[in-house]
Amino acid sequence: MSSRNRWRMWTLGALALAAFSTAACSSDEGTLGPGDNNDPNNPDDPEKEKDPTKDPTAEETILDHRVINYGEAYKTLHLKLLDITPNLTNIKRLDSADDQQAEYEAMVDEIFEDQRLAPRMIRWWRDTLRQGGGDLDTAPTFAARVMMEGKPYTELFTASSNTCPTYTDGQFVDGDCNNNVPTHAGVLTNPGSMAQFYGNMAFRRARWIQETFACKKYPAEYSDTPEQVGEGQYTSPWPFGRVAEEPINFQDTSSVVCANCHSTMNGIAPLVAQFDENGMWQDSIQVQTPIAPEPVTTELSHWLKPGEPTAWRQGVEVTSLPELGQAMADDPSVRACITARLWNFTMSKEDIVAGLATVPTEVIDDYMTQLGETGDMKATLKAMFKSEDFVSF
């Protein structure tokens, strides 16, 4: 008998056995249906005690049944941050400690001073910034340096020098982004970032800034008093007539209210429009407006009506990338976004925007306060790894 036929006979036999087992389990005798009071998970059973590990409406929840395990936390932390499991000596050191919490926290401190942490953080920033490798590595390396050296997170948007460092032989090496920018503004003027997200009317760049550092898709702003426009609702706080009507009609309401997003987006995109496809700053706008039969170079009037300002948000007008960077540095929602991204990394969650892994504010409120007071992303991340949430299983 061929191996293929033997495989078929084994599969058919297994399926037959599974069918027999299923039939036996589904017989009337001894089965538990949704109306059976013997069903321990039957919500209709008035006599059934709620299982707090399964019922989120009970006074206790599954979170109350977690147990602290510093050994598991240390192994998880070590693998996550250094890409290798801890050695037996350290495992025994923690296991035999009289005060495991103090020993664990001391070992966390040691990991955060380990030279192997920097390359791991560069990789994390590659994922976070959606870029990396070759010429695209300078922004993630810069962001990792800000973190590893305990500099204020605001330098991500405000640093005016050494914004294109490299990482060589275990050290960060100074480097400027020589892409003709009048004044640098952290990652906002990085040639790799601008090259990676080159596109029509600079909308990909505006979207990257919004989603990466504000942690939400457009629309970015909402009015307290939405108004009916056409068949839809206009929810932006900006005047509806702010955006251009030609050559692309951003005031169109035939299918969606385009201005809900573009009233904000069109005020940011012009600020990053003078970078060409290689991320080099030029004296004129380098992006195109996609109209038939051929695209044309975008003009400011393609985004906004005459007299309408470029701005980060309503009431926060900016005219340059350094001003945009400062506005972002001052914005509490940006601080909340960075804190949430650090938390999701700690807890192995998906991306906040792409994976919809949002974080309730109350979960990270203390860390947002800490980041606001110190500006230190590394210290904030370290505190997360020492938290009861991380060491509980």
Side-chain angles (χ1 to χ4, degrees), residues 15 40 67 91 154 236 315 359 361 374 389:
L15 290 173
V67 294
I91 293 175
T154 53
S236 172
V359 185
T361 303
T374 67
D389 284 310

Side-chain angles (χ1 to χ4, degrees), residues 21 24 33 42 64 112 114 178 239 244-245 257 304 308 320 378 384:
S21 301
N42 175 22
D64 298 304
F112 270 78
D114 194 304
N178 298 315
E245 293 180 273
V257 181
L304 299 166
E308 286 295 323
S320 66
K378 183 180 177 182
M384 292 176 178

Side-chain angles (χ1 to χ4, degrees), residues 56-115:
T57 65
E59 290 185 6
E60 291 185 331
T61 69
I62 193 171
L63 295 179
D64 298 304
H65 290 255
R66 298 178 300 171
V67 294
I68 291 176
N69 189 323
Y70 291 109
E72 287 298 322
Y74 180 66
K75 285 183 279 187
T76 303
L77 163 75
H78 204 283
L79 186 60
K80 180 184 288 287
L81 294 183
L82 303 183
D83 292 324
I84 189 172
T85 54
N87 58 42
L88 185 59
T89 300
N90 278 349
I91 293 175
K92 289 183 175 179
R93 169 187 161 191
L94 180 59
D95 188 52
S96 61
D98 293 332
D99 186 341
Q100 279 204 333
Q101 179 178 356
E103 194 65 35
Y104 168 77
E105 292 182 357
M107 295 170 84
V108 171
D109 292 341
E110 292 171 9
I111 287 178
F112 270 78
E113 298 307 316
D114 194 304
Q115 192 180 53

Side-chain angles (χ1 to χ4, degrees), residues 272-293:
V272 287
Q274 287 181 230
F275 293 99
D276 63 20
E277 61 186 0
N278 298 313
M280 300 297 292
W281 180 269
Q282 306 295 341
D283 292 333
S284 59
I285 292 174
Q286 298 297 301
V287 295
Q288 293 187 314
T289 299
I291 57 174

Side-chain angles (χ1 to χ4, degrees), residues 290-342:
I291 57 174
E294 296 291 339
V296 298
T297 300
T298 306
E299 300 175 6
L300 183 59
S301 62
H302 292 186
W303 286 294
L304 299 166
K305 288 292 187 68
E308 286 295 323
T310 50
W312 167 240
R313 297 290 187 258
Q314 189 186 44
V316 188
E317 297 180 11
V318 294
T319 60
S320 66
L321 286 172
E323 289 183 13
L324 173 63
Q326 189 58 57
M328 293 173 65
D330 294 338
D331 191 336
S333 69
V334 172
R335 172 163 50 93
C337 173
I338 292 174
T339 308
R341 288 194 177 279
L342 293 174

